[in-house]
Amino acid sequence: MPSVFIARHGETTWNITGRYQGRLESPLSPLGIAQARAMAEPLASHPLKRIISSPLRRCVDTAEIVARHFGLAVEKEPLLIEIAHGTWEGRYRDELAANDPERYRQWRHEPEVVKFENGESIRDVLERWRRFVSDFVARDDTLLVTHDAVVRVALVDRLKRPLSEFWKARVLNGGFAWFQVTTTNWKLVEECVSDHLTGLVADPSTQAL
């Protein structure tokens, strides 16, 4: 039964400073590079044949670091791109909590009702994810390298949970969800594979997610 691993990219410089990225680019931090290198360790026991990445640089760079261990090329998939945070992009979490308090409160406690100004909702991300899944055929073990919001939406969707449980999953930079996939079912093996991140965990509670 093929496995599909859904990973969050390594830590970025904007993750460190609590700045919303969305569709904007920021490079991997030194810790993020180390996380990407470490990700190859648990995957080495699987016959990985495909690596598919969001086109944003932080994901492509993470994917390419892993790909070198397997001699694979990285495929880029726009449907795996990060949620568009719209007018929040490039801004700091603490500033938004002070200056856009109601939307910030809803995003943290009722994410299913939020539509970002000039951006997306998590329902939009869910629809993109489902378009990806409808065309994806899991013939071989595959790594998907994407973003926090996409990993969360994928878990909600495949586990048939409501979007209100968006924040309940454990998602880490350089960690990944592990599914075993058939033509009719995605069976969750582990929500967040992270033993390889010992000494390398970035604290998501300080990030602008």
Side-chain angles (χ1 to χ4, degrees), residues 1-5 46-52 75 136-144 179 181:
M1 185 185 302
S3 289
V4 175
F5 310 100
H46 299 272
L48 202 64
K49 291 293 193 296
R50 293 182 75 188
I51 299 179
I52 306 172
E75 306 170 42
F136 174 71
V137 180
R139 295 190 184 92
D140 303 295
D141 286 6
T142 302
L143 171 66
L144 310 179
F179 286 90
V181 180

Side-chain angles (χ1 to χ4, degrees), residues 15-26:
N15 288 155
I16 296 170
T17 58
R19 195 172 181 186
Y20 277 94
Q21 298 175 116
R23 304 293 175 80
L24 300 181
E25 297 280 18
S26 66

Side-chain angles (χ1 to χ4, degrees), residues 151-152 155 167-172 191-194 201:
V151 178
R152 292 179 184 280
L155 284 162
W167 290 117
K168 289 191 176 180
R170 184 169 182 254
V171 180
L172 296 173
E191 182 179 87
C192 186
V193 177
S194 60
V201 174

Side-chain angles (χ1 to χ4, degrees), residues 5-54:
F5 310 100
I6 310 175
R8 185 183 178 207
H9 59 78
E11 181 194 67
T12 70
T13 56
W14 282 20
N15 288 155
I16 296 170
T17 58
R19 195 172 181 186
Y20 277 94
Q21 298 175 116
R23 304 293 175 80
L24 300 181
E25 297 280 18
S26 66
L28 295 181
S29 67
L31 177 59
I33 293 169
Q35 290 165 341
R37 289 174 177 154
M39 195 191 300
E41 296 171 12
L43 295 171
S45 59
H46 299 272
L48 202 64
K49 291 293 193 296
R50 293 182 75 188
I51 299 179
I52 306 172
S53 173
S54 156

Side-chain angles (χ1 to χ4, degrees), residues 5-7 9 23 51-56 58-59 75-83 125 128-133 136 142-151 154:
F5 310 100
I6 310 175
H9 59 78
R23 304 293 175 80
I51 299 179
I52 306 172
S53 173
S54 156
L56 293 180
R58 54 192 180 270
C59 289
E75 306 170 42
K76 297 176 187 177
E77 175 50 72
L79 293 174
L80 297 179
I81 201 167
E82 175 65 298
I83 187 171
V125 180
R128 279 199 281 112
W129 163 255
R130 286 177 173 171
R131 291 205 305 276
F132 169 78
V133 170
F136 174 71
T142 302
L143 171 66
L144 310 179
V145 182
T146 182
H147 306 268
D148 183 82
V150 182
V151 178

